Amino acid sequence: MKITVRYFAHLKDRLRRDHDEFQVGCDASPEKILRLIFPETGKRETAARHLRVAINTDYANMEDILHDGDEVSFIPPVAGG
Amino acid sequence: MENNLRDICRITTEPISPLALQEIFDDPSCGALTTFTGKVRNHHEGQSVKTLTYEAHTEMAEKILHEIVWEARRMFDTRRLIVVHRVGHLSVGETAVWIGAESPHRDSAFGACRYVIEEVKKRLPIWKKEHRADGSTRWMEGCHEIV
């Protein structure tokens, strides 16, 4: 199934792009997507520090199961206002 | 969850005019209007700031704005709430966020306005990058720098 991933702020700068598309299995989760983006454990742990995740437009959990067409957003600590 | 149709919850790329937004409030049953203007200031944690770049997950931010306004309405006796957050490149002195809360009495107006800005800062998927006088840039994490 197809999953779109969006990046923001420092994560976007670090990856030098604001989105990706992945073809994944039916047991995909944001945590598994993060492993595809950062295969190395050390880099993944550094990147994922304090990251939240949203699925479509709702805050979600890293272990939530994704569905075809979902959009995953990795949310660095926010700084609005 | 439905908000009053008179409420405005918006993420914009356009400059915010606090005076123009304030003039929208016209309920004769309300004796109190509390507003908050969040502006770009020229310093942060000892560093001189020239400009800020705000970035948002716009669809999610507007959805969460509606949720925050819905919550504020249930906690405080407000008749109209307006929340506008700007994104893009802002200079010192420009308005980044504006909130207006209109109520029959001041307690609710103050309470709703304060609640909204605190929740905006905690929940809205918006980020800001400082452009400092020394030429460096930093993404801010709440009040802490991301390295």
Side-chain angles (χ1 to χ4, degrees):
Chain A
M1 58 186 187
K2 178 181 148 185
I3 301 295
T4 301
V5 182
R6 294 177 67 179
Y7 311 116
F8 298 90
H10 70 89
L11 192 57
K12 183 183 74 172
D13 284 357
R14 178 174 177 166
L15 294 172
R16 301 190 182 192
R17 57 192 186 272
D18 62 7
H19 75 282
D20 275 321
E21 289 185 355
F22 293 97
Q23 287 291 335
V24 296
C26 57
D27 63 342
S29 64
E31 196 276 334
K32 290 182 179 178
I33 297 284
L34 207 55
R35 289 176 182 271
L36 295 176
I37 299 165
F38 297 103
E40 297 178 35
T41 302
K43 287 184 179 178
R44 184 170 64 248
E45 288 176 352
T46 301
R49 191 175 62 209
H50 306 308
L51 267 188
R52 293 189 66 181
V53 67
I55 298 175
N56 301 319
T57 54
D58 294 312
Y59 281 112
N61 299 304
M62 286 288 185
E63 63 272 12
D64 286 349
I65 296 299
L66 298 169
H67 301 91
D68 188 30
D70 275 346
E71 178 182 275
V72 173
S73 296
F74 289 110
I75 308 284
V78 299
Chain B
M1 180 190 80
E2 288 189 11
N3 280 327
N4 188 311
L5 292 177
R6 290 151 50 88
D7 295 329
I8 297 173
C9 304
R10 187 177 301 149
I11 306 297
T12 183
T13 57
E14 298 297 318
I16 295 173
S17 169
L19 285 178
L21 290 170
Q22 189 167 313
E23 288 176 359
I24 295 173
F25 293 90
D26 60 0
D27 190 332
S29 74
C30 291
L33 170 62
T34 298
T35 69
F36 172 80
T37 302
K39 305 188 299 179
V40 177
R41 65 173 185 265
N42 64 1
H43 66 94
H44 180 68
E45 294 184 345
Q47 299 285 335
S48 176
V49 175
K50 303 289 281 185
T51 60
L52 291 180
T53 299
Y54 281 91
E55 178 179 306
H57 184 321
T58 301
E59 308 93 309
M60 187 173 168
E62 288 193 337
K63 179 178 178 178
I64 293 176
L65 274 182
H66 281 287
E67 291 173 358
I68 292 170
V69 165
W70 184 85
E71 293 161 12
R73 284 191 154 277
R74 269 130 199 86
M75 295 169 65
F76 305 97
D77 179 20
T78 52
R79 303 303 165 84
R80 188 198 288 262
L81 275 160
I82 294 179
V83 188
V84 182
H85 201 306
R86 184 178 169 193
V87 294
H89 205 66
L90 276 68
S91 300
V92 170
E94 290 196 281
T95 298
V97 60
W98 192 88
I99 299 165
E102 186 177 45
S103 301
H105 304 287
R106 66 185 182 281
D107 278 353
S108 288
F110 276 122
C113 196
R114 183 69 191 242
Y115 178 80
V116 170
I117 185 59
E118 296 300 333
E119 295 303 303
V120 161
K121 293 178 81 67
K122 282 191 287 189
R123 291 157 60 177
L124 239 59
I126 291 182
W127 302 270
K128 56 189 173 211
K129 178 190 273 190
E130 282 186 353
H131 300 261
R132 296 175 172 174
D134 63 5
S136 64
T137 63
R138 294 286 188 276
W139 284 104
M140 307 311 296
E141 173 183 338
C143 294
H144 303 289
E145 186 174 305
I146 294 173
V147 295

